[in-house]
Amino acid sequence: MIKSIITLGIESSCDETSVAVVRNGREVLSNIINSQIPIHEKFGGVVPEIASRNHIDAISIVTKQALEQANITYSDIDAVTCTYGPGLVGALLVGVSYAKALSYAIGKPLVGVNHIEGHIAANYITHKDLKPPFIALVISGAHTHLVHIKGYNEFEILGKTRDDAVGEAFDKVARVIGLGYPGGPKIDKLAKEGKPTIELPTTHIDGLDFSFSGIKTAIINMNYKNPNINKADLAASFQKHVADVLENAAIKAVEKTGLKKIVLAGGVSANSCIRERFENLKEKGIQVFYPEMILCTDNAAMIASAGYYNYINGKRDGLNLNAVPNLKLGE
Ligand code: KG4
Ligand code: ZN
């Protein structure tokens, strides 16, 4: 029998303190997520200093819960994996420092994980047979990337945002129309009550890059000039615009790579309008995958999964591992 490999994942890049235990990169034994959303909600967004302090409060307790729920002890762990970037530096440092101390104390290897790789790996948990190569569309609060996944540890960026991330645009539009933080789920809900009848400007970009700052500014201006504008129609129109942009980019990526397999990842992949739109691509013979809802937004199971693929590929980090706030995919 092949020995199972157990990875402990630690995630603290933004406002979720999460620790998970995953077997062989695919089977979640525990995934504890302590969200700080209620703490940051009143500020309309994540306050980095407050996020770091709350990670410190939570991390030991969350780790203890993850081990208990997985019914394992420290000696069962094969590798301690943690997000070391990209993200908020103070928030990342909590998880990185904790992972380093734990790896040293229990004498198990340390593996630093790129958070974006983690979002993609969430799909390996949901879809047990999913294997590279495929195209990944990573759409989160901080990232918008179209990536050719050539292997578990081999990536080629096909396109990325030149300004705002798509989730950032959702959050800003939501704030302006009075919905609060985090905006994505609130726009998703409100849009169901409206119709996408408001015409919005399109931004033309060559290749596979994205730009969302124009649409965000257009909506802010519309709302400012006409405070009585129907907010549900505005939400529905914005969402339709984003779905159009993402769908077109995905089709172009299929044409460019010849790969008819698209994997969505990141918080915005929870969006019902975007999912519906990508479902339609199946009629064109394109396979489409999304993570289950709980694995779309930040969580440590996805980090333990990506950490597993890094670990079996021989990646090891030393006790000098540092947080890298602007870490790029493939670095
Ligand atoms: O992946 P994530 O937890 O964090 C980053 O790595 O950035 O993504 C958070 C983002 C937020 O911008 C949030 O508004 C957005 O995901 N989001 C959604 C939905 N659920 C979360 N956006 C659109 N529709 C949703 N249902
Ligand atoms: Zn994330």
Side-chain angles (χ1 to χ4, degrees):
M1 203 177 89
I2 303 164
K3 182 193 173 299
S4 357
I5 293 174
I6 303 276
T7 48
L8 181 86
I10 299 177
E11 158 62 35
S12 71
S13 66
C14 191
D15 59 344
E16 265 88 30
T17 319
S18 180
V19 181
V21 178
V22 169
R23 182 186 285 143
N24 294 334
R26 302 260 180 175
E27 188 191 344
V28 179
L29 303 184
S30 66
N31 184 25
I32 310 292
I33 305 168
N34 182 73
S35 176
Q36 300 178 15
I37 287 176
I39 298 168
H40 298 279
E41 228 167 8
K42 53 181 171 291
F43 302 104
V46 178
V47 183
E49 175 75 18
I50 295 176
S52 310
R53 286 164 188 253
N54 282 285
H55 284 310
I56 283 282
D57 281 345
I59 197 150
S60 304
I61 301 160
V62 171
T63 305
K64 187 166 176 280
Q65 287 171 346
L67 290 169
E68 278 169 10
Q69 204 181 92
N71 199 18
I72 64 157
T73 62
Y74 289 121
S75 61
D76 297 315
I77 297 170
D78 291 286
V80 176
T81 73
C82 69
T83 304
Y84 74 108
L88 303 168
V89 68
L92 287 166
L93 281 171
V94 175
V96 169
S97 305
Y98 195 86
K100 282 160 71 163
L102 186 61
S103 139
Y104 182 70
I106 66 175
K108 298 293 167 92
L110 175 70
V111 180
V113 175
N114 183 312
H115 182 81
I116 306 172
E117 265 184 59
H119 274 302
I120 297 164
N123 282 282
Y124 297 138
I125 297 170
T126 303
H127 308 285
K128 305 292 180 215
D129 298 324
L130 177 68
K131 290 187 182 77
F134 54 80
I135 297 162
L137 178 60
V138 186
I139 40 177
S140 73
H143 319 284
T144 307
H145 280 74
L146 202 45
V147 193
H148 179 176
I149 311 294
K150 297 183 167 175
Y152 287 105
N153 299 287
E154 203 190 339
F155 314 97
E156 184 194 337
I157 308 283
L158 300 170
K160 58 179 189 302
T161 183
R162 296 201 182 161
D163 39 57
D164 289 354
V166 60
E168 197 180 344
F170 266 97
D171 293 338
K172 284 190 186 152
V173 166
R175 182 155 49 169
V176 166
I177 64 176
L179 298 178
Y181 176 83
K186 291 179 175 150
I187 290 201
D188 198 348
K189 192 161 169 244
L190 182 64
K192 291 193 168 68
E193 294 163 26
K195 290 201 169 58
T197 47
I198 300 171
E199 209 170 303
L200 295 168
T202 43
T203 311
H204 292 285
I205 300 235
D206 288 340
L208 290 169
D209 277 353
F210 302 92
S211 166
F212 291 103
S213 70
I215 179 77
K216 175 198 70 186
T217 311
I219 291 195
I220 294 173
N221 288 342
M222 267 181 200
N223 190 63
Y224 180 73
K225 285 188 195 140
N226 179 8
N228 296 323
I229 194 164
N230 184 312
K231 305 285 190 268
D233 288 350
L234 200 55
S237 306
F238 166 70
Q239 221 174 232
K240 178 186 176 294
H241 174 95
V242 170
D244 286 345
V245 170
L246 296 176
E247 185 191 0
N248 287 338
I251 292 171
K252 278 201 231 166
V254 168
E255 287 164 359
K256 184 174 174 173
T257 59
L259 289 168
K260 291 191 141 198
K261 205 172 177 187
I262 298 181
V263 166
L264 268 68
V268 183
S269 64
N271 185 271
S272 58
C273 170
I274 294 171
R275 283 189 175 218
E276 213 178 286
R277 188 66 70 81
F278 275 78
E279 276 301 301
N280 294 338
L281 290 182
K282 291 183 178 169
E283 285 164 17
K284 293 189 161 73
I286 300 170
Q287 287 180 280
V288 184
F289 300 86
Y290 330 83
E292 60 212 85
M293 285 297 181
I294 190 70
L295 299 179
C296 285
T297 44
D298 291 349
N299 67 88
M302 68 185 200
I303 301 304
S305 172
Y308 165 83
Y309 287 104
N310 282 320
Y311 173 76
I312 59 169
N313 195 38
K315 184 175 191 279
R316 302 287 183 272
D317 283 290
L319 291 176
N320 59 347
L321 180 69
N322 206 344
V324 183
N326 57 357
L327 183 68
K328 305 282 182 288
L329 197 64
E331 282 180 2

